[in-house]
Amino acid sequence: FFFIDNDRLAFVVGDVSGKGVPAAIFMAVSRTLLKALASQVVNPGECLRRLNTLLIPEKDQAMFVTIFYGVLNTRTGDVQYSNGGHNSPYLIRSDGTVEMLPQTGGLLLGMLPDLEYDVQKIKLNAGDTIFLYTDGVTEAMNKENELFDNPRFVESLKKTPLLSLPEMIKTV
């Protein structure tokens, strides 16, 4: 996360394909380019569209990145976001209601040219939380080799309203 200006906080989560040094470099390039674009482009969908275009010549054969990118107006609580093939975050309302953010339908970045990324808007109220995560959370396994999966994940999120961030993470 980073501030774009005095009122707008950008937040992002991503996951790169592959492992090792090539994947780490591709993620570093993705992060750097996104941050540079965010200072020039207000619309999250347009930002991801441009990022996708820039990433295509930078990748190895089958490398791509999934990204959820949002911008919060800290003064009004308005959030605009776009999703490039990443897991949809969950909105945890202060009353304990948990819902997946409405989808934007965007595809992963760095593989296909000329993609468009739609934008959704929501309003955060005092005490609301957006919980971003990667598939490493829902694909984690217990001692019996059972996946944590989405239903368990949502049930754990329902226990988190009004918790501090460290307590929320520990609960999940």
Side-chain angles (χ1 to χ4, degrees), residues 47-108:
C47 191
L48 290 188
R49 186 193 70 75
R50 291 184 188 188
L51 178 59
N52 181 57
T53 300
L54 291 170
L55 287 176
I56 289 173
E58 293 298 323
K59 70 175 182 66
D60 284 339
Q61 295 173 1
M63 199 159 283
F64 62 87
V65 64
T66 63
I67 292 178
F68 177 90
Y69 172 57
V71 179
L72 166 67
N73 184 313
T74 58
R75 204 173 23 81
T76 66
D78 293 330
V79 176
Q80 291 187 18
Y81 64 89
S82 190
N83 194 339
H86 198 76
N87 302 78
S88 288
Y90 283 88
L91 175 60
I92 306 167
R93 295 287 185 190
S94 60
D95 67 0
T97 305
V98 176
E99 59 193 71
M100 185 179 283
L101 289 181
Q103 303 273 341
T104 63
L107 297 175
L108 51 86

Side-chain angles (χ1 to χ4, degrees), residues 2 12 23 27 35 40 57 64 66 78-79 119-120 123 125-126 138-139 145 159-160 164 172:
F2 53 93
V12 62
M27 182 56 87
K35 194 168 183 180
Q40 302 169 10
F64 62 87
T66 63
D78 293 330
V79 176
V119 175
Q120 287 279 2
K123 180 151 182 100
N125 299 309
T138 53
E139 293 175 2
N145 290 327
K159 300 173 186 172
T160 65
S164 69
V172 172

